[in-house]
Amino acid sequence: MGDMTNSDFYSKNQRNESSHGGEFGCTMEELRSLMELRGTEAVVKIKETYGDTDAICRRLKTSPVEGLPGTAPDLEKRKQIFGQNFIPPKKPKTFLQLVWEALQDVTLIILEIAAIISLGLSFYHPPGENNEVCATAQGGAEDEGEAEAGWIEGAAILLSVICVVLVTAFNDWSKEKQFRGLQSRIEQEQKFTVVRAGQVVQIPVAEIVVGDIAQVKYGDLLPADGLFIQGNDLKIDESSLTGESDQVRKSVDKDPMLLSGTHVMEGSGRMVVTAVGVNSQTGIIFTLLGAGGEEEEKKDKKAADGAAGSNAADSANTSLVNGKMQDGNADASQSKAKQQDGAAAMEMQPLKSAEGGDADDKKKANMHKKEKSVLQGKLTKLAVQIGKAGLVMSAITVIILVLYFTVDTFVVNKKPWLPECTPVYVQYFVKFFIIGVTVLVVAVPEGLPLAVTISLAYSVKKMMKDNNLVRHLDACETMGNATAICSDKTGTLTTNRMTVVQAYVGDAHYKEIPEPSSINAKTMELLVHAIAINSAYTTKILPPEKEGALPRQVGNKTECGLLGFVLDLKQDYEPVRAQMPEEKLYKVYTFNSVRKSMSTVIKLPDESFRMYSKGASEIVLKKCCKILNGAGEPRVFRPRDRDEMVKKVIEPMACDGLRTICVAYRDFPSSPEPDWDNENDILNELTCICVVGIEDPVRPEVPEAIRKCQRAGITVRMVTGDNINTARAIAIKCGIIHPGEDFLCLEGKEFNRRIRNEKGEIEQERIDKIWPKLRVLARSSPTDKHTLVKGIIDSTHTEQRQVVAVTGDGTNDGPALKKADVGFAMGIAGTDVAKEASDIILTDDNFSSIVKAVMWGRNVYDSISKFLQFQLTVNVVAVIVAFTGACITQDSPLKAVQMLWVNLIMDTFASLALATEPPTETLLLRKPYGRNKPLISRTMMKNILGHAVYQLTLIFTLLFVGEKMFQIDSGRNAPLHSPPSEHYTIIFNTFVMMQLFNEINARKIHGERNVFDGIFRNPIFCTIVLGTFAIQIVIVQFGGKPFSCSPLQLDQWMWCIFIGLGELVWGQVIATIPTSRLKFLKEAGRLTQKEEIPEEELNEDVEEIDHAERELRRGQILWFRGLNRIQTQIEVVNTFKSGASFQGALRRQSSVTSQSQDVASLSSPSRVSLSNALSSPTSLPPAAAGQG
């Protein structure tokens, strides 16, 4: 049934493609509907329709061995017909939308309203023109000309609001642009291996076309749908599509369907690509989710029209009426199916709102991804506190002004309220209101979120240069708080360039590579065959790129080391591989973290079988019962011989920091054929050929990087799969452990024994006894890694909760990477799965890049503290000046427009200037701040209050005696529309000068003396300070009425600048006062213990929704949200369909809550319509529905 309706739904496409019919033997729809089948159904369908997979390859004009010819016209044509491998992202918000969003700010709205009222009143002249009578309250009449200029203030406020909005919108827009850039960069970095014209090449995922032969291997994230052609032991984790956590074994005759978005957990093989982009299984789900958003409407019209070329004819044939696709010549049953599908298309619409609304609720419930980002938490709290204080202040200001005015006018001067005076009084009240709002505007530090964003965005951009590709914004800042790093050994601490340096062959231990002549010919042949055949054929050693460089190692590095050994023995592995191509391998047991070995079975010419094995020496030697002697003859190898070998050969090698690998083989008779699935019997009774010691040298920069970490208060632990002696030797070379210290080096088994109780359950207090001293965990499995990370994070052993960073490269590191506060994936050696689970990708796989990340993270924190120190000084001073000024002189010395200018420079520009300070090495000389250290330390509080005292003293001096000092008219008690006075201009100018010089003071927050240190390394800072100064000159000299400024003389300017310079001197005075004496200073912005412990216990394994994603949810960012939300919905729908209990849908522990919420929200009509939409046959394959 599924196919029937599908083909109807797509019939219009087939009409367009009939012209292409001759070119390829199958259309996009046929392939697409084929990919919706699973397991045996699919095998049957392939047999019936096509014959076999080779026949499909022939129809797609591709060769299973040679691949596509790879010519440009052919690739182009395939893209035309079958679509491109790319899912169009959501349209970014336009600049106007961002402007509209910025306008939603409450304080701005209040200002706008006030300004409009003020404007309206200034144009309304009361009939009696008896302004004199009404205005005498404030003394001094006003000229006609000035009354005319009354509109200017309102207009100026509106103008400055527009400025603020544009700046905010522009910032958001550029941020969005950066994220798009970041995203496309991450997407471009994704490459996949395909065969073209017989050559194995890596191409960007977006270049893959239908008909490509792709090579899949352990750890890949499949980029497109395809059919399995050949391979061995391929197991796939399809949970991202089906929700079934069991791994699915793929084979040509049982289940050849490989789906995009699923993970290869084991094995390797080849597939022919049959569906890409919006036609692949993942693409279909994305389309359902309206990933295109705006394209939604178009998509309804051409719901299945992935191919751009094919929609030319479709407008003529199909019209969308009321969401029912009606087709001129469709018969009844067809149009019925069509209606269903049209409805399905229409019902995708509610899904969008459901997505938006419910997703938000869901996110709120799941706010804690690894808790709220520390900084965001502290800042939100601080901003709320400041905002409340500002609100109270501004309210009091308005009340005092209004009361004073009414009492003064109507009680003291006993004026009657004349009707014709009403507009004038209202104008006064509006003016008071504007003053109040201005106080509020200055009090609310809207620069805070901006500073965080700018600082993080800037850091992320710069971290790219330091080989850190940040995927989640807040990871950058969390890294600054890191107290522990659990690092892999291979490739991170070491160069990942393996070379065999010692060998034990034919009863002799060679300390360097033996002469080929010294090894028996029979042994040599076995050795070469065992290494060449029993390794992935994708692993090769290629000639160096440049003269004199080392040969390039491609593929698995350990295998490269072994192949290098073959070459060092003056042998060649290529002919052996040519003689025994991959297709002829009889059976392969691929390497995984359980087996810790790899074996390949081949059929010998006499029909008997031979199996080659290689793996960790202590594991493979346990399975050996013979060993080749000097003459190349097998001799008995007893357990006691093995113990001696371990003592004499393996341990000495391991103590030199070498990885030991054992190579062995076993022969089987041709009949009876062994039971290959019974691994325990097969991998036994082996004959050892040789044991080699592989060196993976420590990266030269690592010891220094680890020393920096330790100095910065970060503990580095090594977690590795290697044996304990090797691990310990490397740890000493790196400086992770120093001889003579009190530390632990454990093996995975021992670690597990110590942390589990009698019942085998993990106990936190047992972990607490171990982790503080643990430095090396060897022979560890991925679960051990996860247990360790979780144990350290959940530990209450220290007064600060530990913040743990973890590096990982393998598929099985996913859980540990997700659990850690910051997960680093390896960009080169890492598998796609690890990258998906990580927060930061190390593009050069180097440990020293992690140290850079720590530096940047601490820098973000410091930048924000710098900005806070500066911002709060401005706020305190401005609010107090506006408040007291208003109360004493009925008018704020700083006018609304001036306040807005101060707010603009102080908030927006200062956040730019201070948030972009480059990091310095000194950041690594202190311990991490920890999670409950307040944002504003005592030192900072001292600076804020100290500078506030200086500024307030000077401003009040100028306000009350300034006119005497400068011999100018007093600006106090001026009437409503009086011209700007020099007196108030001097106050405004001095105020700004003091802020400018204080901005330089704010560059240091730990009480350092030299505030100019490294100032020229930050060009942005210099530009902004000079730019602000220049604009200030323009405002004062030419600002006139709108800015309430009157031009100043040169000597007055000099005084203003001189008072400003005093800030620097005063800063030195403050630095002299020891903070320890000032016990009364409170710190601010700390996260209390209570908020600290989130519902960690409640939602232990909850789907962790990224906090940054929630913060920046307002459409700023398009993070790749996994398919989880969709999975869930589909699962819930499946459950409804199969009528099973909810257990089915809730099977995946990993997202219990997000699912239970889905189940809950299914009652809302929008979700129910989704279930109808999804139950239409187009969207879900029947087999998948059965799985619920």
Side-chain angles (χ1 to χ4, degrees):
M1 172 212 100
D3 295 303
M4 163 66 197
T5 33
N6 274 333
S7 49
D8 283 342
F9 188 29
Y10 303 138
S11 59
K12 56 170 200 226
N13 262 16
Q14 277 161 3
R15 228 171 296 135
N16 301 328
E17 293 208 353
S18 55
S19 56
H20 303 310
E23 300 182 20
F24 294 104
C26 38
T27 61
M28 183 170 78
E29 280 60 61
E30 290 170 14
L31 290 173
R32 179 160 151 167
S33 55
L34 170 66
M35 290 319 292
E36 299 195 332
L37 303 175
R38 301 279 178 275
T40 42
E41 281 184 65
V43 177
V44 173
K45 171 94 174 147
I46 292 173
K47 272 215 174 65
E48 285 172 0
T49 320
Y50 303 101
D52 60 2
T53 41
D54 285 356
I56 294 184
C57 290
R58 280 199 295 282
R59 288 192 180 201
L60 288 174
K61 304 194 173 157
T62 177
S63 140
V65 186
E66 297 284 311
L68 291 179
T71 55
D74 176 56
L75 297 178
E76 208 35 60
K77 195 162 69 188
R78 288 175 193 270
K79 281 184 187 164
Q80 281 283 305
I81 296 175
F82 298 111
Q84 299 189 344
N85 194 21
F86 146 85
I87 295 170
K90 269 204 180 95
K91 279 212 178 93
K93 286 202 171 151
T94 57
F95 190 67
L96 289 174
Q97 281 169 310
L98 292 170
V99 168
W100 176 242
E101 269 180 12
L103 277 169
Q104 312 293 314
D105 188 45
V106 185
T107 40
L108 288 181
I109 293 174
I110 299 176
L111 264 181
E112 287 153 28
I113 295 170
I116 290 166
I117 296 175
S118 158
L119 265 178
L121 285 172
S122 68
F123 288 125
Y124 170 70
H125 288 294
E129 277 305 323
N130 42 3
N131 286 359
E132 287 76 28
V133 188
C134 316
T136 43
Q138 288 299 88
E142 34 177 83
D143 304 340
E144 280 302 288
E146 275 132 25
E148 295 303 298
W151 60 274
I152 290 184
E153 185 173 32
I157 292 179
L158 281 180
L159 200 72
S160 33
V161 165
I162 291 171
C163 266
V164 173
V165 166
L166 287 178
V167 169
T168 319
F170 178 73
N171 268 311
D172 284 350
W173 179 79
S174 57
K175 192 168 68 184
E176 170 129 9
K177 206 165 124 235
Q178 277 186 6
F179 282 119
R180 297 238 158 206
L182 179 68
Q183 181 129 8
S184 61
R185 161 139 186 198
I186 289 178
E187 277 162 9
Q188 283 156 13
E189 296 220 329
Q190 248 185 326
K191 291 224 181 349
F192 209 77
T193 317
V194 295
V195 181
R196 286 201 178 158
Q199 294 291 315
V200 178
V201 287
Q202 285 220 330
I203 58 170
V205 169
E207 295 294 309
I208 292 177
V209 293
V210 171
D212 256 325
I213 304 294
Q215 293 197 340
V216 297
K217 60 181 185 316
Y218 156 84
D220 282 343
L221 181 70
L222 298 183
D225 293 358
L227 296 174
F228 184 55
I229 318 179
Q230 144 302 296
N232 29 56
D233 219 14
L234 193 66
K235 285 192 187 150
I236 304 263
D237 169 15
E238 292 189 350
S239 63
S240 60
L241 283 180
T242 61
E244 296 296 324
S245 55
D246 301 341
Q247 296 178 11
V248 187
R249 180 177 236 138
K250 297 293 177 183
S251 61
V252 181
D253 45 358
K254 300 244 173 34
D255 181 2
M257 314 308 273
L258 298 175
L259 306 174
S260 58
T262 58
H263 294 141
V264 183
M265 298 311 276
E266 212 176 289
S268 60
R270 287 179 163 176
M271 69 169 186
V272 56
V273 176
T274 52
V276 292
V278 283
N279 302 302
S280 66
Q281 292 303 302
T282 311
I284 292 171
I285 293 181
F286 265 127
T287 314
L288 270 182
L289 256 191
E294 320 292 311
E295 287 116 45
E296 199 66 72
E297 295 73 49
K298 300 179 213 158
K299 243 177 227 152
D300 294 344
K301 277 210 199 79
K302 43 171 203 201
D305 234 43
S310 56
N311 57 0
D314 91 28
S315 50
N317 303 334
T318 314
S319 59
L320 186 75
V321 188
N322 294 337
K324 299 185 172 66
M325 296 187 176
Q326 295 178 337
D327 211 337
N329 52 0
D331 62 66
S333 72
Q334 245 184 340
S335 69
K336 185 157 180 276
K338 279 245 157 58
Q339 285 171 16
Q340 269 184 353
D341 291 319
M346 287 315 279
E347 277 165 357
M348 291 177 203
Q349 301 294 58
L351 185 66
K352 272 205 304 203
S353 56
E355 246 282 17
D358 291 21
D360 272 329
D361 301 344
K362 214 183 298 173
K363 289 200 172 142
K364 279 192 194 91
N366 276 341
M367 249 165 78
H368 307 277
K369 173 208 178 187
K370 318 164 180 170
E371 289 147 34
K372 199 168 176 188
S373 142
V374 189
L375 192 59
Q376 297 281 17
K378 291 178 181 177
L379 279 176
T380 318
K381 212 175 152 200
L382 197 67
V384 168
Q385 289 167 344
I386 298 173
K388 281 182 188 156
L391 199 62
V392 173
M393 289 292 274
S394 61
I396 298 175
T397 314
V398 175
I399 294 166
I400 291 180
L401 284 170
V402 171
L403 283 177
Y404 188 95
F405 176 75
T406 39
V407 170
D408 189 53
T409 311
F410 302 120
V411 181
V412 183
N413 295 339
K414 301 198 173 45
K415 287 250 170 104
W417 180 297
L418 300 171
E420 58 269 32
C421 281
T422 310
V424 180
Y425 294 143
V426 173
Q427 237 172 337
Y428 272 116
F429 289 140
V430 169
K431 178 180 157 189
F432 298 151
F433 183 60
I434 289 182
I435 292 174
V437 175
T438 319
V439 172
L440 180 65
V441 170
V442 175
V444 175
E446 61 272 36
L448 268 186
L450 190 68
V452 179
T453 320
I454 291 180
S455 184
L456 286 173
Y458 170 78
S459 305
V460 166
K461 213 168 153 180
K462 290 286 190 216
M463 281 168 80
M464 291 279 226
K465 294 202 176 80
D466 283 340
N467 302 311
N468 282 293
L469 184 74
V470 181
R471 294 188 50 207
H472 298 140
L473 257 195
D474 55 346
C476 163
E477 159 251 322
T478 315
M479 211 38 226
N481 281 325
T483 53
I485 299 177
C486 296
S487 170
D488 280 358
K489 177 180 79 68
T490 310
T492 316
L493 299 173
T494 58
T495 55
N496 205 6
R497 203 194 151 76
M498 309 280 186
T499 37
V500 173
V501 287
Q502 297 188 19
Y504 180 88
V505 192
D507 290 343
H509 183 175
Y510 299 94
K511 293 282 187 183
E512 53 239 12
I513 303 288
E515 281 297 311
S517 53
S518 61
I519 296 176
N520 179 288
K522 267 196 295 197
T523 312
M524 183 68 97
E525 189 193 2
L526 271 170
L527 180 62
V528 173
H529 277 75
I531 290 174
I533 292 172
N534 185 31
S535 56
Y537 278 34
T538 47
T539 304
K540 307 188 186 58
I541 293 200
L542 301 178
E545 281 174 337
K546 296 195 281 288
E547 279 295 307
L550 293 165
R552 278 182 300 159
Q553 297 189 340
V554 182
N556 179 314
K557 303 296 186 193
T558 312
E559 291 180 351
C560 286
L562 290 168
L563 291 173
F565 179 52
V566 170
L567 297 177
D568 287 341
L569 291 171
K570 311 279 188 287
Q571 306 294 315
D572 192 2
Y573 62 88
E574 288 290 355
V576 181
R577 282 185 175 179
Q579 187 188 340
M580 180 53 84
E582 208 168 353
E583 298 78 61
K584 284 204 194 156
L585 301 180
Y586 197 77
K587 170 118 186 93
V588 177
Y589 300 94
T590 49
F591 183 89
N592 64 24
S593 56
V594 182
R595 287 190 191 123
K596 289 226 188 270
S597 67
M598 169 180 176
S599 312
T600 305
V601 181
I602 57 169
K603 217 174 185 162
L604 296 175
D606 63 357
E607 294 297 301
S608 67
F609 300 99
R610 172 171 289 171
M611 177 180 76
Y612 294 115
S613 268
K614 69 165 188 293
S617 56
E618 52 262 58
I619 289 169
V620 178
L621 278 178
K622 279 196 185 114
K623 300 179 176 159
C624 289
C625 62
K626 295 199 182 84
I627 186 165
L628 293 180
N629 63 15
E633 299 300 330
R635 66 171 169 81
V636 180
F637 186 61
R638 291 182 297 280
R640 67 157 187 268
D641 299 338
R642 190 178 68 231
D643 296 341
E644 189 181 347
M645 176 129 163
V646 168
K647 263 202 208 60
K648 295 258 175 67
V649 179
I650 289 171
E651 284 185 0
M653 281 187 186
C655 291
D656 293 342
L658 305 184
R659 297 177 68 171
T660 53
I661 303 275
C662 175
V663 184
Y665 78 103
R666 178 181 176 186
D667 287 328
F668 297 96
S670 54
S671 64
E673 186 171 330
D675 171 12
W676 297 115
D677 290 337
N678 185 348
E679 265 185 57
N680 291 347
D681 291 359
I682 300 285
L683 288 180
N684 217 335
E685 300 182 12
L686 307 175
T687 307
C688 168
I689 305 175
C690 74
V691 173
V692 294
I694 296 186
E695 179 184 49
D696 184 6
V698 172
R699 287 176 181 262
E701 60 276 24
V702 163
E704 175 58 19
I706 286 181
R707 207 162 52 249
K708 281 183 189 163
C709 280
Q710 288 162 342
R711 209 171 41 220
I714 303 171
T715 315
V716 183
R717 294 181 173 81
M718 180 203 285
V719 182
T720 172
D722 259 346
N723 92 32
I724 191 150
N725 295 326
T726 311
R728 193 183 288 122
I730 297 276
I732 291 174
K733 280 186 192 162
C734 291
I736 291 179
I737 53 183
H738 303 289
E741 276 183 1
D742 179 23
F743 55 79
L744 282 172
C745 294
L746 294 179
E747 285 203 336
K749 278 205 188 86
E750 173 67 8
F751 173 69
N752 272 311
R753 197 180 58 69
R754 288 199 193 185
I755 60 172
R756 290 172 195 274
N757 59 14
E758 296 69 56
K759 296 191 198 129
E761 294 158 351
I762 295 173
E763 284 186 359
Q764 184 63 47
E765 45 276 20
R766 288 173 183 246
I767 298 185
D768 285 348
K769 288 196 188 108
I770 292 179
W771 73 257
K773 287 188 179 174
L774 184 68
R775 291 292 176 275
V776 176
L777 185 57
R779 280 278 173 251
S780 67
S781 67
T783 31
D784 295 341
K785 193 173 191 174
H786 181 252
T787 310
L788 177 66
V789 171
K790 185 175 172 314
I792 299 181
I793 288 179
D794 295 348
S795 170
T796 47
H797 182 75
T798 46
E799 79 273 24
Q800 295 277 355
R801 144 149 146 48
Q802 294 274 317
V803 179
V804 185
V806 170
T807 67
D809 51 4
T811 306
N812 37 30
D813 288 330
L817 287 171
K818 264 210 166 73
K819 177 70 199 168
D821 294 285
V822 183
F824 285 92
M826 301 297 147
I828 304 167
T831 56
D832 297 347
V833 186
K835 289 179 190 171
E836 276 296 302
S838 69
D839 302 301
I840 299 181
I841 296 174
L842 293 179
T843 48
D844 63 347
D845 288 14
N846 193 338
F847 185 83
S848 57
S849 303
I850 300 180
V851 183
K852 298 243 177 65
V854 173
M855 235 157 75
W856 277 107
R858 292 186 171 189
N859 191 48
V860 167
Y861 207 94
D862 279 6
S863 297
I864 291 184
S865 298
K866 287 171 189 172
F867 172 65
L868 263 175
Q869 176 174 307
F870 174 66
Q871 165 85 48
L872 292 178
T873 316
V874 182
N875 286 13
V876 170
V877 176
V879 169
I880 294 178
V881 167
F883 176 70
T884 40
C887 298
I888 299 169
T889 66
Q890 280 74 67
D891 186 7
S892 163
L894 298 171
K895 299 290 181 288
V897 182
Q898 296 174 351
M899 288 276 215
L900 283 169
W901 159 241
V902 167
N903 206 35
L904 186 76
I905 55 167
M906 298 320 149
D907 274 7
T908 316
F909 294 157
S911 60
L912 248 178
L914 291 165
T916 52
E917 287 272 312
T920 55
E921 289 281 335
T922 46
L923 287 168
L924 293 174
L925 299 179
R926 59 172 173 77
K927 298 274 177 281
Y929 279 147
R931 301 183 74 88
N932 27 14
K933 161 154 190 328
L935 262 181
I936 299 172
S937 62
R938 280 231 177 97
T939 318
M940 287 168 63
M941 206 51 140
K942 177 183 75 176
N943 291 343
I944 292 171
L945 296 178
H947 287 295
V949 168
Y950 173 82
Q951 297 186 8
L952 286 170
T953 317
L954 279 161
I955 284 177
F956 284 131
T957 314
L958 286 175
L959 180 58
F960 295 113
V961 293
E963 73 272 26
K964 300 195 184 64
M965 288 160 55
F966 288 103
Q967 279 101 39
I968 44 176
D969 299 335
S970 165
R972 295 196 298 284
N973 299 334
L976 190 61
H977 291 298
S978 57
S981 64
E982 284 188 355
H983 182 189
Y984 274 18
T985 310
I986 290 179
I987 294 178
F988 165 59
N989 199 15
T990 310
F991 180 68
V992 173
M993 288 303 126
M994 291 198 287
Q995 301 325 325
L996 271 183
F997 286 104
N998 195 26
E999 198 166 338
I1000 298 174
N1001 274 331
R1003 292 185 65 245
K1004 297 287 177 250
I1005 49 175
H1006 298 300
E1008 296 94 330
R1009 287 260 174 208
N1010 180 4
V1011 288
F1012 289 100
D1013 175 38
I1015 193 163
F1016 295 115
R1017 282 221 312 278
N1018 188 357
I1020 301 182
F1021 184 85
C1022 305
T1023 318
I1024 285 180
V1025 171
L1026 295 173
T1028 315
F1029 186 63
I1031 300 174
Q1032 178 65 17
I1033 297 178
V1034 174
I1035 288 178
V1036 171
Q1037 298 306 95
F1038 310 104
K1041 186 81 195 188
F1043 279 98
S1044 321
C1045 287
S1046 83
L1048 299 180
Q1049 312 298 319
L1050 187 63
D1051 59 326
Q1052 292 166 332
W1053 263 102
M1054 282 306 156
W1055 273 107
C1056 295
I1057 294 174
F1058 175 72
I1059 295 173
L1061 274 167
E1063 269 289 310
L1064 294 174
V1065 183
W1066 183 247
Q1068 296 301 319
V1069 176
I1070 296 178
T1072 320
I1073 307 168
T1075 314
S1076 49
R1077 288 284 168 78
L1078 308 173
K1079 285 278 183 283
F1080 60 88
L1081 285 182
K1082 285 272 191 302
E1083 299 147 320
R1086 87 172 37 241
L1087 272 185
T1088 49
Q1089 227 34 50
K1090 197 163 75 236
E1091 294 162 60
E1092 254 274 70
I1093 304 169
E1095 306 123 50
E1096 209 35 76
E1097 292 72 42
L1098 306 179
N1099 43 11
E1100 194 36 89
D1101 281 314
V1102 175
E1103 181 77 82
E1104 294 175 327
I1105 285 190
D1106 200 321
H1107 173 76
E1109 179 179 310
R1110 215 198 81 260
E1111 270 300 305
L1112 300 161
R1113 162 86 180 148
R1114 305 195 337 258
Q1116 251 61 317
I1117 302 183
L1118 318 133
W1119 278 132
F1120 353 76
R1121 297 202 190 80
L1123 297 176
N1124 279 332
R1125 215 170 298 132
I1126 313 148
Q1127 268 156 258
T1128 307
Q1129 286 157 359
I1130 288 183
E1131 261 163 48
V1132 174
V1133 175
N1134 288 344
T1135 314
F1136 269 84
K1137 278 202 270 181
S1138 58
S1141 67
F1142 276 143
Q1143 286 334 98
L1146 296 183
R1147 193 166 303 133
R1148 259 170 67 243
Q1149 252 329 96
S1150 74
S1151 51
V1152 176
T1153 37
S1154 74
Q1155 273 161 345
S1156 48
Q1157 272 154 356
D1158 267 55
V1159 175
S1161 52
L1162 264 170
S1163 53
S1164 73
S1166 61
R1167 283 301 161 99
V1168 175
S1169 66
L1170 156 72
S1171 64
N1172 302 336
L1174 279 178
S1175 49
S1176 77
T1178 51
S1179 45
L1180 261 191
Q1187 285 171 350

